[in-house]
Amino acid sequence: MHVQGLGIKKLYLKLEALNPAGSVKIKAALGMIEDLEARGQITPDTKLIESSSGSLGVALSMICAERGYQFTCVVDPNTSAHNIKMMKAFGADVIVIDQRDENGGFLGSRIAYIQQMLKQDAHYCWLNQYANPENPLTHYRRTAQAIADTFEKIDYLFIGAGTGGTLMGCVKYFNEFHPETKVIAVDSIGSVTFGFAPSKRYIPGLGTSRRPEIYSPKGIYAFEMIAESEAVKMCRYMASSNGLLAGGSTGTVLAAVKAWSARLPKDATVVAISPDLGERYLDTIYDDLWVESHFGTILEGEPEERTPILLA
């Protein structure tokens, strides 16, 4: 999708929400499950379990329903009700963990719950997207190559960090085959992945309260941290200006592109990965009462340009 505005002439958005299950996470889900199948690690008694803020849980629930596998998804209060309902519709067991971890988030607590279940029942098998090499590898093979095959040349590629699968897979691919492409890693303020201090976050998708084991800064050109308020503003701006109902992760990535717009050459080809769309955020990002209660005001208009945070 070609995006109008944001001060960039050639800005393209890869819409991963057009995948089955509605997000980029279907690729990681398939990669991790197919790896277990190939190694004979899934038996009729196996209980697959995973921690997810939403999209991966939906993808895994869909695949497990199709293949007849038992699946438990461990989520937290920030997970959208829409995603939880989808998981349950596919037959997954959903456990909501509401105890915050030492960094003020829920990821550490979700993982602690899974580790407890692994000790109690040997039939549980943790997919572990945070450390599983199949997570970035599937994006290396599929996502990155699909992007590279579409464009003759890409000058800048903006990717949300999340659990690191999409980012790490694309960094590896472009460093190997197209080193001229500069990869900009994007995350939410309050996330600890890039080494910043933790703080409370409300939007699922990007951001972690625990650095994923698969993450490495090697090969990343620069880093950009985005306030959730700016992500919300971008989502609502894109809906009114481009007719695109962006999800929270997509809004965060596009807000980073906006922050960089004054620094990018006018003829640069810029690609951003859109992990999700906004139907699952209608009760949050696109709801005036929710936005006002979490950010103190209704956030409208295009996010402002500012000086990017450079760590590389």
Side-chain angles (χ1 to χ4, degrees), residues 36 41-51 64 69-74 91-95 110-128:
L36 289 174
Q41 296 298 304
I42 301 179
T43 71
D45 295 325
T46 299
K47 301 176 183 179
L48 296 177
I49 190 168
E50 181 59 296
S51 159
C64 288
Y69 300 150
Q70 299 179 65
F71 175 58
T72 297
C73 191
V74 184
D93 292 326
V94 180
I95 306 297
R110 295 194 328 236
I111 291 176
Y113 175 85
I114 290 175
Q115 291 171 335
Q116 178 183 353
M117 298 307 294
L118 294 174
K119 293 178 181 179
Q120 293 179 359
D121 190 339
H123 292 117
Y124 274 109
C125 176
W126 183 19
L127 292 152
N128 195 1

Short mmCIF file of all heavy atoms in Angstrom, two decimals, residues 36 41-51 64 69-74 91-95 110-128:
data_model
loop_
_atom_site.label_atom_id
_atom_site.label_comp_id
_atom_site.label_asym_id
_atom_site.label_seq_id
_atom_site.Cartn_x
_atom_site.Cartn_y
_atom_site.Cartn_z
N LEU A 36 8.23 -28.11 15.42
CA LEU A 36 7.93 -29.15 16.41
C LEU A 36 7.43 -30.41 15.72
O LEU A 36 7.80 -31.53 16.10
CB LEU A 36 6.88 -28.64 17.40
CG LEU A 36 7.33 -27.57 18.40
CD1 LEU A 36 6.14 -27.08 19.21
CD2 LEU A 36 8.42 -28.11 19.33
N GLN A 41 7.86 -33.62 18.05
CA GLN A 41 7.67 -33.16 19.42
C GLN A 41 6.20 -32.98 19.81
O GLN A 41 5.92 -32.64 20.96
CB GLN A 41 8.41 -31.82 19.60
CG GLN A 41 9.91 -31.92 19.44
CD GLN A 41 10.54 -32.84 20.48
OE1 GLN A 41 10.36 -32.64 21.67
NE2 GLN A 41 11.26 -33.85 20.02
N ILE A 42 5.29 -33.17 18.87
CA ILE A 42 3.86 -33.04 19.18
C ILE A 42 3.21 -34.41 19.08
O ILE A 42 3.22 -35.05 18.03
CB ILE A 42 3.16 -32.05 18.23
CG1 ILE A 42 3.80 -30.66 18.31
CG2 ILE A 42 1.67 -31.96 18.58
CD1 ILE A 42 3.18 -29.63 17.40
N THR A 43 2.66 -34.87 20.20
CA THR A 43 1.95 -36.15 20.27
C THR A 43 0.48 -35.88 20.60
O THR A 43 0.11 -34.74 20.90
CB THR A 43 2.57 -37.04 21.35
OG1 THR A 43 2.23 -36.49 22.65
CG2 THR A 43 4.09 -37.11 21.21
N PRO A 44 -0.36 -36.92 20.58
CA PRO A 44 -1.78 -36.71 20.94
C PRO A 44 -1.96 -36.14 22.35
O PRO A 44 -3.01 -35.53 22.63
CB PRO A 44 -2.38 -38.11 20.81
CG PRO A 44 -1.52 -38.77 19.77
CD PRO A 44 -0.14 -38.27 20.02
N ASP A 45 -0.98 -36.32 23.23
CA ASP A 45 -1.10 -35.83 24.60
C ASP A 45 -0.48 -34.45 24.82
O ASP A 45 -0.59 -33.87 25.91
CB ASP A 45 -0.42 -36.82 25.57
CG ASP A 45 -1.12 -38.17 25.60
OD1 ASP A 45 -2.36 -38.19 25.47
OD2 ASP A 45 -0.41 -39.19 25.72
N THR A 46 0.16 -33.91 23.81
CA THR A 46 0.86 -32.63 23.96
C THR A 46 -0.12 -31.48 24.17
O THR A 46 -1.16 -31.39 23.50
CB THR A 46 1.73 -32.34 22.71
OG1 THR A 46 2.70 -33.36 22.57
CG2 THR A 46 2.42 -30.98 22.85
N LYS A 47 0.23 -30.61 25.10
CA LYS A 47 -0.54 -29.39 25.36
C LYS A 47 0.35 -28.20 25.03
O LYS A 47 1.24 -27.86 25.80
CB LYS A 47 -0.98 -29.32 26.82
CG LYS A 47 -1.83 -30.49 27.30
CD LYS A 47 -2.12 -30.35 28.80
CE LYS A 47 -2.91 -31.52 29.33
NZ LYS A 47 -3.15 -31.39 30.80
N LEU A 48 0.15 -27.60 23.89
CA LEU A 48 0.94 -26.43 23.52
C LEU A 48 0.52 -25.24 24.37
O LEU A 48 -0.66 -25.04 24.65
CB LEU A 48 0.75 -26.11 22.04
CG LEU A 48 1.24 -27.19 21.06
CD1 LEU A 48 0.91 -26.78 19.63
CD2 LEU A 48 2.73 -27.44 21.22
N ILE A 49 1.51 -24.43 24.76
CA ILE A 49 1.22 -23.26 25.59
C ILE A 49 2.12 -22.11 25.13
O ILE A 49 3.25 -22.32 24.71
CB ILE A 49 1.44 -23.57 27.09
CG1 ILE A 49 0.90 -22.42 27.97
CG2 ILE A 49 2.89 -23.87 27.41
CD1 ILE A 49 0.81 -22.77 29.46
N GLU A 50 1.59 -20.90 25.17
CA GLU A 50 2.36 -19.74 24.77
C GLU A 50 1.84 -18.49 25.46
O GLU A 50 0.66 -18.40 25.82
CB GLU A 50 2.30 -19.54 23.25
CG GLU A 50 3.10 -18.37 22.70
CD GLU A 50 4.60 -18.42 23.01
OE1 GLU A 50 4.95 -18.35 24.20
OE2 GLU A 50 5.39 -18.51 22.06
N SER A 51 2.74 -17.53 25.65
CA SER A 51 2.41 -16.20 26.15
C SER A 51 2.22 -15.29 24.95
O SER A 51 3.01 -15.31 24.01
CB SER A 51 3.55 -15.70 27.03
OG SER A 51 3.53 -14.29 27.15
N CYS A 64 -3.90 -24.49 15.67
CA CYS A 64 -4.14 -25.64 16.55
C CYS A 64 -5.54 -26.22 16.35
O CYS A 64 -5.74 -27.44 16.41
CB CYS A 64 -3.92 -25.24 18.01
SG CYS A 64 -2.18 -24.97 18.43
N TYR A 69 -4.76 -29.75 17.83
CA TYR A 69 -3.86 -29.67 18.97
C TYR A 69 -4.51 -28.92 20.13
O TYR A 69 -5.27 -27.97 19.92
CB TYR A 69 -2.57 -28.94 18.59
CG TYR A 69 -1.77 -29.58 17.48
CD1 TYR A 69 -0.99 -28.80 16.63
CD2 TYR A 69 -1.77 -30.97 17.29
CE1 TYR A 69 -0.23 -29.39 15.62
CE2 TYR A 69 -1.02 -31.56 16.28
CZ TYR A 69 -0.26 -30.76 15.44
OH TYR A 69 0.47 -31.34 14.44
N GLN A 70 -4.16 -29.32 21.34
CA GLN A 70 -4.59 -28.58 22.52
C GLN A 70 -3.71 -27.33 22.66
O GLN A 70 -2.49 -27.42 22.50
CB GLN A 70 -4.44 -29.44 23.78
CG GLN A 70 -5.26 -30.71 23.78
CD GLN A 70 -5.04 -31.52 25.04
OE1 GLN A 70 -5.39 -31.10 26.15
NE2 GLN A 70 -4.45 -32.70 24.88
N PHE A 71 -4.32 -26.21 22.98
CA PHE A 71 -3.55 -24.97 23.08
C PHE A 71 -4.06 -24.09 24.21
O PHE A 71 -5.27 -23.87 24.35
CB PHE A 71 -3.59 -24.18 21.77
CG PHE A 71 -2.91 -22.84 21.85
CD1 PHE A 71 -1.57 -22.76 22.21
CD2 PHE A 71 -3.61 -21.68 21.58
CE1 PHE A 71 -0.94 -21.52 22.30
CE2 PHE A 71 -2.99 -20.44 21.66
CZ PHE A 71 -1.65 -20.36 22.02
N THR A 72 -3.13 -23.59 25.02
CA THR A 72 -3.43 -22.63 26.08
C THR A 72 -2.66 -21.36 25.81
O THR A 72 -1.44 -21.39 25.58
CB THR A 72 -3.02 -23.18 27.46
OG1 THR A 72 -3.78 -24.35 27.75
CG2 THR A 72 -3.26 -22.14 28.55
N CYS A 73 -3.35 -20.22 25.82
CA CYS A 73 -2.70 -18.93 25.62
C CYS A 73 -2.75 -18.12 26.92
O CYS A 73 -3.81 -17.97 27.53
CB CYS A 73 -3.39 -18.15 24.50
SG CYS A 73 -2.45 -16.68 23.99
N VAL A 74 -1.60 -17.62 27.33
CA VAL A 74 -1.49 -16.83 28.55
C VAL A 74 -1.39 -15.36 28.16
O VAL A 74 -0.44 -14.94 27.51
CB VAL A 74 -0.25 -17.26 29.37
CG1 VAL A 74 -0.19 -16.50 30.69
CG2 VAL A 74 -0.28 -18.78 29.62
N GLY A 91 -11.32 -22.54 20.22
CA GLY A 91 -11.21 -23.65 21.17
C GLY A 91 -10.04 -23.59 22.11
O GLY A 91 -9.77 -24.55 22.85
N ALA A 92 -9.30 -22.48 22.12
CA ALA A 92 -8.15 -22.36 23.01
C ALA A 92 -8.58 -22.06 24.44
O ALA A 92 -9.62 -21.43 24.67
CB ALA A 92 -7.22 -21.25 22.52
N ASP A 93 -7.78 -22.51 25.39
CA ASP A 93 -7.94 -22.09 26.77
C ASP A 93 -7.17 -20.78 26.94
O ASP A 93 -6.02 -20.68 26.51
CB ASP A 93 -7.37 -23.14 27.74
CG ASP A 93 -8.18 -24.42 27.74
OD1 ASP A 93 -9.42 -24.34 27.57
OD2 ASP A 93 -7.59 -25.50 27.90
N VAL A 94 -7.80 -19.80 27.56
CA VAL A 94 -7.17 -18.49 27.73
C VAL A 94 -7.03 -18.18 29.22
O VAL A 94 -8.02 -18.19 29.95
CB VAL A 94 -7.97 -17.37 27.03
CG1 VAL A 94 -7.28 -16.03 27.23
CG2 VAL A 94 -8.12 -17.69 25.54
N ILE A 95 -5.80 -17.92 29.65
CA ILE A 95 -5.50 -17.58 31.04
C ILE A 95 -5.06 -16.12 31.08
O ILE A 95 -4.12 -15.73 30.39
CB ILE A 95 -4.38 -18.47 31.62
CG1 ILE A 95 -4.72 -19.95 31.44
CG2 ILE A 95 -4.13 -18.13 33.08
CD1 ILE A 95 -5.96 -20.40 32.18
N ARG A 110 3.57 -13.52 33.00
CA ARG A 110 3.01 -14.52 32.10
C ARG A 110 3.97 -15.69 31.92
O ARG A 110 3.57 -16.86 31.95
CB ARG A 110 2.70 -13.88 30.73
CG ARG A 110 1.61 -12.84 30.79
CD ARG A 110 1.05 -12.43 29.44
NE ARG A 110 1.93 -12.46 28.31
CZ ARG A 110 2.18 -11.40 27.52
NH1 ARG A 110 1.64 -10.22 27.81
NH2 ARG A 110 2.95 -11.51 26.47
N ILE A 111 5.24 -15.37 31.74
CA ILE A 111 6.24 -16.42 31.56
C ILE A 111 6.41 -17.24 32.83
O ILE A 111 6.57 -18.47 32.78
CB ILE A 111 7.57 -15.80 31.10
CG1 ILE A 111 7.43 -15.27 29.67
CG2 ILE A 111 8.70 -16.83 31.17
CD1 ILE A 111 8.64 -14.55 29.14
N ALA A 112 6.37 -16.59 33.98
CA ALA A 112 6.48 -17.31 35.25
C ALA A 112 5.34 -18.32 35.39
O ALA A 112 5.54 -19.44 35.89
CB ALA A 112 6.47 -16.33 36.42
N TYR A 113 4.15 -17.94 34.96
CA TYR A 113 3.01 -18.86 35.00
C TYR A 113 3.26 -20.07 34.11
O TYR A 113 3.01 -21.22 34.51
CB TYR A 113 1.73 -18.14 34.57
CG TYR A 113 0.52 -19.06 34.49
CD1 TYR A 113 -0.24 -19.34 35.61
CD2 TYR A 113 0.18 -19.67 33.28
CE1 TYR A 113 -1.33 -20.20 35.53
CE2 TYR A 113 -0.90 -20.54 33.19
CZ TYR A 113 -1.65 -20.80 34.32
OH TYR A 113 -2.73 -21.66 34.24
N ILE A 114 3.77 -19.82 32.90
CA ILE A 114 4.06 -20.93 31.99
C ILE A 114 5.11 -21.86 32.58
O ILE A 114 4.96 -23.09 32.54
CB ILE A 114 4.53 -20.39 30.62
CG1 ILE A 114 3.36 -19.70 29.90
CG2 ILE A 114 5.11 -21.51 29.76
CD1 ILE A 114 3.75 -19.03 28.60
N GLN A 115 6.14 -21.30 33.16
CA GLN A 115 7.19 -22.13 33.75
C GLN A 115 6.64 -22.99 34.89
O GLN A 115 7.05 -24.14 35.08
CB GLN A 115 8.33 -21.25 34.23
CG GLN A 115 9.10 -20.60 33.08
CD GLN A 115 10.09 -19.56 33.52
OE1 GLN A 115 9.93 -18.95 34.58
NE2 GLN A 115 11.13 -19.32 32.71
N GLN A 116 5.69 -22.44 35.62
CA GLN A 116 5.04 -23.20 36.69
C GLN A 116 4.25 -24.37 36.11
O GLN A 116 4.29 -25.49 36.64
CB GLN A 116 4.12 -22.28 37.50
CG GLN A 116 3.37 -22.99 38.61
CD GLN A 116 2.42 -22.05 39.33
OE1 GLN A 116 2.41 -20.85 39.11
NE2 GLN A 116 1.59 -22.61 40.19
N MET A 117 3.52 -24.12 35.02
CA MET A 117 2.72 -25.17 34.40
C MET A 117 3.61 -26.26 33.80
O MET A 117 3.26 -27.44 33.83
CB MET A 117 1.82 -24.57 33.31
CG MET A 117 0.80 -23.56 33.83
SD MET A 117 -0.22 -24.21 35.18
CE MET A 117 -1.12 -25.50 34.34
N LEU A 118 4.77 -25.89 33.27
CA LEU A 118 5.70 -26.88 32.73
C LEU A 118 6.20 -27.83 33.81
O LEU A 118 6.40 -29.03 33.57
CB LEU A 118 6.89 -26.18 32.07
CG LEU A 118 6.60 -25.35 30.81
CD1 LEU A 118 7.87 -24.61 30.37
CD2 LEU A 118 6.09 -26.22 29.67
N LYS A 119 6.40 -27.30 35.02
CA LYS A 119 6.85 -28.13 36.13
C LYS A 119 5.74 -29.06 36.62
O LYS A 119 6.00 -30.19 37.04
CB LYS A 119 7.32 -27.25 37.28
CG LYS A 119 8.59 -26.46 36.98
CD LYS A 119 8.96 -25.58 38.16
CE LYS A 119 10.22 -24.76 37.87
NZ LYS A 119 10.57 -23.87 39.02
N GLN A 120 4.49 -28.58 36.55
CA GLN A 120 3.37 -29.35 37.08
C GLN A 120 2.89 -30.45 36.13
O GLN A 120 2.37 -31.47 36.58
CB GLN A 120 2.19 -28.41 37.39
CG GLN A 120 2.45 -27.45 38.54
CD GLN A 120 1.28 -26.53 38.79
OE1 GLN A 120 0.26 -26.58 38.11
NE2 GLN A 120 1.41 -25.67 39.79
N ASP A 121 3.05 -30.22 34.84
CA ASP A 121 2.51 -31.18 33.86
C ASP A 121 3.48 -31.35 32.70
O ASP A 121 3.70 -30.42 31.92
CB ASP A 121 1.15 -30.66 33.35
CG ASP A 121 0.40 -31.68 32.51
OD1 ASP A 121 1.04 -32.62 32.00
OD2 ASP A 121 -0.83 -31.53 32.34
N ALA A 122 4.06 -32.54 32.58
CA ALA A 122 5.06 -32.81 31.55
C ALA A 122 4.49 -32.81 30.14
O ALA A 122 5.25 -32.80 29.16
CB ALA A 122 5.73 -34.16 31.83
N HIS A 123 3.17 -32.80 30.02
CA HIS A 123 2.56 -32.79 28.69
C HIS A 123 2.57 -31.40 28.05
O HIS A 123 2.34 -31.27 26.84
CB HIS A 123 1.11 -33.30 28.76
CG HIS A 123 1.02 -34.75 29.10
ND1 HIS A 123 0.42 -35.20 30.26
CD2 HIS A 123 1.47 -35.85 28.46
CE1 HIS A 123 0.48 -36.51 30.31
NE2 HIS A 123 1.12 -36.94 29.23
N TYR A 124 2.85 -30.37 28.85
CA TYR A 124 2.90 -29.02 28.30
C TYR A 124 4.18 -28.83 27.47
O TYR A 124 5.27 -29.30 27.85
CB TYR A 124 2.87 -27.97 29.41
CG TYR A 124 1.47 -27.60 29.84
CD1 TYR A 124 0.98 -28.01 31.09
CD2 TYR A 124 0.63 -26.85 29.03
CE1 TYR A 124 -0.30 -27.68 31.51
CE2 TYR A 124 -0.66 -26.52 29.43
CZ TYR A 124 -1.11 -26.94 30.67
OH TYR A 124 -2.39 -26.61 31.06
N CYS A 125 4.04 -28.13 26.35
CA CYS A 125 5.16 -27.80 25.48
C CYS A 125 5.09 -26.30 25.17
O CYS A 125 4.13 -25.84 24.54
CB CYS A 125 5.12 -28.61 24.19
SG CYS A 125 6.41 -28.19 23.00
N TRP A 126 6.09 -25.57 25.63
CA TRP A 126 6.11 -24.10 25.45
C TRP A 126 6.75 -23.75 24.12
O TRP A 126 7.92 -24.07 23.86
CB TRP A 126 6.89 -23.48 26.61
CG TRP A 126 6.94 -21.99 26.61
CD1 TRP A 126 6.13 -21.12 25.95
CD2 TRP A 126 7.90 -21.18 27.34
NE1 TRP A 126 6.49 -19.82 26.21
CE2 TRP A 126 7.57 -19.83 27.05
CE3 TRP A 126 8.95 -21.46 28.17
CZ2 TRP A 126 8.29 -18.76 27.59
CZ3 TRP A 126 9.67 -20.41 28.72
CH2 TRP A 126 9.34 -19.07 28.43
N LEU A 127 6.02 -23.06 23.27
CA LEU A 127 6.54 -22.63 21.97
C LEU A 127 7.64 -21.59 22.15
O LEU A 127 8.61 -21.56 21.40
CB LEU A 127 5.41 -22.08 21.11
CG LEU A 127 4.40 -23.15 20.66
CD1 LEU A 127 3.03 -22.54 20.44
CD2 LEU A 127 4.88 -23.83 19.42
N ASN A 128 7.48 -20.69 23.08
CA ASN A 128 8.48 -19.70 23.49
C ASN A 128 8.97 -18.82 22.33
O ASN A 128 10.13 -18.90 21.91
CB ASN A 128 9.67 -20.38 24.17
CG ASN A 128 10.54 -19.37 24.92
OD1 ASN A 128 10.25 -18.17 24.95
ND2 ASN A 128 11.60 -19.86 25.54
#
